[in-house]
Amino acid sequence: MAEVPSPQMTEQLDNEEVREILKNTTDLRQYSRQIEKEFKEVENKSIEDYIAESQNIANLHNQVNDCDDVLERMENMLMSFQSVLNNISTEITQLQRKSVSMSLQLTNRQSVKAQLSQFIEDMAVSEEMINIIMETPVTERDFSTQLNVLNHKLSLVKELSFKESKSTSDVSDVLQKLRLKAMAKIRSYLLEQIYKFRKPMTNYQIPQNAMLKHKFFFEFILSNERHVAQEICSEYIDTMGKIYYSYFKSYSTRLTSLKFEESCTKDDLMGIEDNASKGLFSKTTSLKHKSTIFTIGKRGDILNQQLEAPIIVPHAQLKNRYTAEALFRSEQYALVDNACREYLFVTEFFMVRGTQAQDLFNQIMGKTLTLMIKNLETSIHDCFDTIAMFLCIHLIFRYQLMCHKRCVPALDKYWDSLQAVIWPRFELVFRLNIQSIHDCDPTKFNKELGPHYITRRYAEFSAAIVGISEHFPNELVSRLLLELQNEVECFILRMAAIFPTRKDQLIYLINNYDLVLGVLMEHTRDNSKEAEAFREQLNSRSAEYVEEILAPHFGGIIQFVKECEHFFEKEQMDELRKQERRSLALVASFSANWKKSLEELNREVLLSFPSLLTGSQLLQLALASLVQDYHRFHKLLTPNARAQLTNIHVVMVEIKKYKSNY
């Protein structure tokens, strides 16, 4: 088949042909006629071709018509299929909607069925429940189980009655009769348990535990018949209130009989002369190792090891006698134990919290607590044992913390009331002790250089108070201790003034300050304010005492150093040479007497102080000061005088002989 030229090629050929015609200068009209002739020939030839192929064209036309018919039938068939598919889709959609509707209906019917079944079950009263409620004892497990079911049915009927549900009338009568029967049996059981408390020697924890085991009984009564619940609650309050009151009244009376026969009086104040009264422990055999009422000894153990010790049983301890704080501890610990258990019981059984729990507790324990506060007021009215009162105060702090750890705040007002009773008396007696020291007349006492017994009283007392209050500091106590310390310092100074010589005064001051510091450091922290104050006083007096005892033996050397050392510092050697005669005399005196002087110093110091440790420390302090002054003296001497001076190493060897092992 010939290739058909493209328009671009045709145009190119025409252009070439035109150029060729123009080139040959042919006549265009002639050329046009020639072209038309050729076109005519081609047309005729084409017609002949078409005529020759007419049969084929007719066949092709028939085939095209046949194809159109087939395609038309297929189109009709497809249109029919589309219509059928549209109908099927519509049916599927309808079936889907119907399925969703049926599923929803099924779900609703199942929900209604479940609720209806549960409602019927909740409303129905079985024969088993009737028999158990009517016949079974309340302590049986089945009774408790059916009681819970009954309570649920009663609550449901009560709720439906407000909605005017007709179904409630079918079972209401039966349920009410069962309720009354259950109420009667429970009331009888709970009152029976409460009446058990009233029997003598009864351990009331047993019926309380039985009641807690069936605490739902009270909840059932409370939700169905409040006046019966109030009756049971009132009966319990009345019974337990009387039991606690009777028990603690008897216990307090019996504890009182175990007190020491001789108690502290105003004659046992710190500043009263030692021969006026021997104090609380003078006639007691069990505590005879305590020299005064101001010594704490092992009494402080009551705040730690003995805090939760078993209470004192009076009839088993008739031959023993106890301090006031020991009796107070036993009584308060018994109260803590009983009150905490009672508070936890009433909150759990009677289902009360907060203010309601506090009110219920106060109704039960109020009379007992008032009795104990009055007993304390009576016993403390004439008390002069300051340490005992302070121990009682700190017992209260610890028992209050114990109650809080047990989640029992009900006794907080009671503890505050006890504090309000003890603190004023404690402060009063404390100030009486301060005043008694202020009123002391130093001239009435013997002139003894050792520690004064009033100083010892103060040291023991102050150490006791500071030691007790370390964990619970108090501003009032700190202020009172400072006032007492100032008064004792003034008393020590007044006592020192009765001695004629300054050396004796210093010995007296050091002995007393050392005693106070030693006792304080033994029983308290080293950095307590009281210990720091007396340590400062002791160091100051010790330095002054060293100068006093060195002066008779080495005063010349010490004075020479003080007067001439500034010449050496200013390099005024001529002035030092002028002092050579004086220095030679001092050197000769020292060389002749220094060993004897050391012996006398040692004997004098050790005889002046009862405490070997204190005496040894003062001697070492004096010898150290002597060595220092000796070195300074050596520097100030001329070569001639220095050559005659005893070698420092010889002196040091001799001094080491007086080194103590204390």
Side-chain angles (χ1 to χ4, degrees):
M1 186 174 180
E3 183 179 355
V4 179
S6 64
Q8 290 86 356
M9 293 177 64
T10 303
E11 183 179 359
Q12 186 176 3
L13 291 173
D14 291 342
N15 292 335
E16 289 178 358
E17 190 172 354
V18 170
R19 282 195 298 269
E20 184 65 26
I21 293 170
L22 292 176
K23 183 178 178 182
N24 296 328
T25 62
T26 303
D27 186 4
L28 291 178
R29 289 188 297 268
Q30 182 181 354
Y31 186 76
S32 173
R33 287 191 296 270
Q34 183 181 349
I35 291 303
E36 287 178 358
K37 181 181 180 181
E38 288 177 358
F39 276 149
K40 189 69 174 177
E41 291 176 355
V42 170
E43 181 181 359
N44 293 332
K45 190 177 183 177
S46 295
I47 292 171
E48 292 175 358
D49 289 340
Y50 276 114
I51 292 171
E53 294 294 331
S54 60
Q55 184 63 38
N56 292 332
I57 292 171
N59 292 336
L60 179 63
H61 176 72
N62 292 333
Q63 289 176 1
V64 171
N65 289 334
D66 291 341
C67 288
D68 285 341
D69 293 339
V70 171
L71 290 175
E72 183 179 2
R73 287 196 302 272
M74 288 184 67
E75 182 181 8
N76 293 334
M77 186 182 300
L78 290 175
M79 292 297 293
S80 176
F81 285 162
Q82 183 179 12
S83 176
V84 171
L85 289 175
N86 287 335
N87 293 335
I88 292 173
S89 175
T90 303
E91 290 178 2
I92 291 173
T93 304
Q94 291 175 353
L95 289 174
Q96 197 172 25
R97 290 175 181 174
K98 187 178 294 184
S99 175
V100 171
S101 176
M102 291 175 67
S103 176
L104 182 60
Q105 290 175 4
L106 177 61
T107 302
N108 292 337
R109 289 178 181 180
Q110 289 177 340
S111 176
V112 171
K113 179 183 177 181
Q115 294 181 11
L116 186 60
S117 299
Q118 184 64 46
F119 178 77
I120 293 173
E121 183 180 349
D122 290 341
M123 294 296 292
V125 181
S126 65
E127 290 292 333
E128 181 187 10
M129 186 178 74
I130 295 173
N131 291 334
I132 290 175
I133 295 295
M134 297 297 292
E135 305 296 338
T136 305
V138 296
T139 54
E140 295 291 333
R141 184 175 181 180
D142 289 343
F143 181 86
S144 298
T145 303
Q146 294 301 327
L147 186 66
N148 275 282
V149 176
L150 176 61
N151 188 57
H152 174 69
K153 293 181 184 298
L154 289 170
S155 300
L156 180 61
V157 169
K158 186 184 296 184
E159 180 182 351
L160 293 175
S161 65
F162 291 109
K163 300 179 181 179
E164 298 182 357
S165 176
K166 295 182 179 181
S167 58
T168 58
S169 60
D170 296 336
V171 294
S172 178
D173 186 53
V174 177
L175 290 177
Q176 291 303 320
K177 289 179 179 179
L178 289 176
R179 180 182 70 84
L180 293 175
K181 182 62 178 179
M183 294 273 292
K185 292 174 70 173
I186 292 173
R187 174 182 176 279
S188 177
Y189 171 76
L190 292 179
L191 291 177
E192 179 184 350
Q193 297 302 313
I194 293 172
Y195 293 151
K196 287 182 181 180
F197 296 136
R198 301 179 181 181
K199 295 180 181 179
M201 306 300 292
T202 298
N203 183 358
Y204 59 84
Q205 294 182 36
I206 296 176
Q208 275 189 341
N209 291 336
M211 293 173 69
L212 284 177
K213 184 179 179 182
H214 303 291
K215 60 182 180 180
F216 179 70
F217 289 172
F218 186 79
E219 181 180 350
F220 178 81
I221 292 176
L222 186 64
S223 61
N224 290 282
E225 203 67 59
R226 285 190 172 273
H227 75 274
V228 177
Q230 184 61 46
E231 177 192 5
I232 294 172
C233 186
S234 299
E235 196 69 29
Y236 180 84
I237 291 171
D238 182 64
T239 300
M240 294 307 296
K242 290 178 180 178
I243 290 173
Y244 284 124
Y245 181 79
S246 176
Y247 169 76
F248 279 100
K249 182 178 181 181
S250 173
Y251 187 64
S252 297
T253 303
R254 292 181 180 182
L255 282 181
T256 304
S257 65
L258 301 181
K259 281 185 179 181
F260 286 108
E261 295 178 359
E262 183 181 357
S263 59
C264 301
T265 66
K266 62 181 179 180
D267 294 327
D268 295 306
L269 297 174
M270 193 176 296
I272 302 299
E273 289 85 346
D274 203 20
N275 58 1
S277 173
K278 295 297 182 182
L280 172 63
F281 307 109
S282 60
K283 297 181 181 180
T284 60
T285 57
S286 61
L287 295 175
K288 62 182 179 181
H289 62 283
K290 296 182 183 297
S291 58
T292 72
I293 64 170
F294 304 103
T295 304
I296 189 170
K298 293 184 178 180
R299 296 168 72 184
D301 293 344
I302 202 170
L303 298 176
N304 302 301
Q305 296 93 326
Q306 301 175 17
L307 185 65
E308 298 185 53
I311 64 173
I312 298 171
V313 182
H315 65 270
Q317 304 290 336
L318 293 176
K319 295 183 179 180
N320 296 328
R321 291 294 178 267
Y322 295 90
T323 56
E325 70 273 7
L327 300 178
F328 181 83
R329 182 211 71 85
S330 182
E331 186 176 20
Q332 300 308 317
Y333 186 55
L335 176 68
V336 167
D337 200 29
N338 284 275
C340 288
R341 188 184 302 110
E342 187 62 31
Y343 181 83
L344 295 175
F345 172 81
V346 298
T347 54
E348 184 175 358
F349 185 79
F350 293 108
M351 299 177 298
V352 288
R353 293 289 184 273
T355 306
Q356 291 181 333
Q358 184 70 55
D359 292 341
L360 185 56
F361 178 83
N362 289 340
Q363 292 179 52
I364 297 171
M365 299 292 296
K367 190 175 179 182
T368 301
L369 299 180
T370 302
L371 170 69
M372 296 182 71
I373 294 172
K374 289 183 179 179
N375 288 343
L376 179 63
E377 291 174 347
T378 302
S379 63
I380 209 171
H381 182 265
D382 297 322
C383 180
F384 284 86
D385 189 349
T386 316
I387 291 179
M389 288 188 284
F390 201 51
L391 286 172
C392 290
I393 289 172
H394 281 266
L395 281 171
I396 293 172
F397 289 149
R398 283 161 173 79
Y399 284 138
Q400 189 168 13
L401 284 177
M402 186 183 296
C403 289
H404 288 171
K405 288 180 180 179
R406 297 182 184 182
C407 300
V408 178
L411 288 174
D412 285 350
K413 289 185 178 180
Y414 169 73
W415 299 128
D416 292 342
S417 298
L418 293 186
Q419 297 276 18
V421 172
I422 300 177
W423 273 113
R425 182 67 187 178
F426 170 79
E427 183 179 3
L428 173 63
V429 177
F430 204 118
R431 293 195 180 280
L432 288 176
N433 279 292
I434 297 174
Q435 187 63 37
S436 68
I437 297 175
H438 178 79
D439 296 339
C440 282
D441 184 0
T443 60
K444 293 182 179 180
F445 299 105
N446 297 328
K447 290 185 178 181
E448 297 179 357
L449 292 175
H452 199 279
Y453 66 84
I454 291 182
T455 305
R456 183 177 297 278
R457 288 178 179 178
Y458 163 75
E460 297 286 353
F461 177 78
S462 180
I465 299 298
V466 172
I468 293 171
S469 59
E470 279 184 344
H471 299 295
F472 294 90
N474 181 272
E475 184 179 353
L476 173 62
V477 175
S478 300
R479 187 167 63 250
L480 291 173
L481 282 172
L482 181 60
E483 293 179 16
L484 179 62
Q485 175 188 328
N486 293 335
E487 201 58 58
V488 169
E489 289 181 356
C490 291
F491 169 75
I492 293 174
L493 292 175
R494 295 203 310 271
M495 281 297 302
I498 68 175
F499 296 98
T501 65
R502 182 57 181 168
K503 184 172 68 175
D504 287 346
Q505 292 176 0
L506 291 172
I507 292 173
Y508 178 82
L509 291 173
I510 291 172
N511 278 328
N512 282 269
Y513 291 151
D514 181 63
L515 169 68
V516 174
L517 184 60
V519 173
L520 287 173
M521 291 182 65
E522 180 182 356
H523 294 92
T524 65
R525 296 175 287 104
D526 292 347
N527 59 348
S528 65
K529 293 185 293 185
E530 292 76 13
E532 288 295 332
F534 282 98
R535 184 181 289 109
E536 183 179 347
Q537 290 283 5
L538 179 62
N539 293 337
S540 175
R541 303 307 179 189
S542 297
E544 187 178 352
Y545 173 73
V546 166
E547 293 182 3
E548 286 289 329
I549 61 174
L550 288 177
H553 304 284
F554 308 104
I557 292 178
I558 296 172
Q559 188 64 28
F560 182 85
V561 170
K562 289 181 178 179
E563 293 177 358
C564 300
E565 197 167 30
H566 68 281
F567 295 144
F568 181 81
E569 293 173 354
K570 296 179 180 180
E571 298 183 355
Q572 298 176 356
M573 299 305 174
D574 293 338
E575 295 295 332
L576 287 177
R577 293 189 190 98
K578 293 179 183 179
Q579 302 293 331
E580 185 176 13
R581 180 180 298 178
R582 179 184 173 189
S583 63
L584 286 171
L586 291 174
V587 168
S589 174
F590 180 84
S591 300
N593 301 313
W594 68 276
K595 289 187 178 181
K596 181 181 178 182
S597 296
L598 290 179
E599 292 178 359
E600 292 179 356
L601 274 176
N602 179 61
R603 183 172 59 255
E604 178 184 359
V605 171
L606 295 182
L607 290 176
S608 298
F609 300 95
S611 171
L612 294 177
L613 178 61
T614 303
S616 175
Q617 290 174 343
L618 287 169
L619 178 61
Q620 297 306 314
L621 186 63
L623 295 177
S625 178
L626 172 62
V627 170
Q628 185 179 7
D629 288 333
Y630 194 77
H631 276 292
R632 295 161 64 189
F633 179 64
H634 181 271
K635 292 180 180 180
L636 301 177
L637 296 179
T638 61
N640 182 32
R642 190 177 300 166
Q644 301 179 38
L645 184 65
T646 303
N647 191 287
I648 184 63
H649 297 292
V650 176
V651 177
M652 293 296 293
V653 170
E654 188 67 22
I655 285 177
K656 287 181 179 179
K657 296 179 181 179
Y658 298 98
K659 185 176 181 180
S660 174
N661 294 324
Y662 298 107

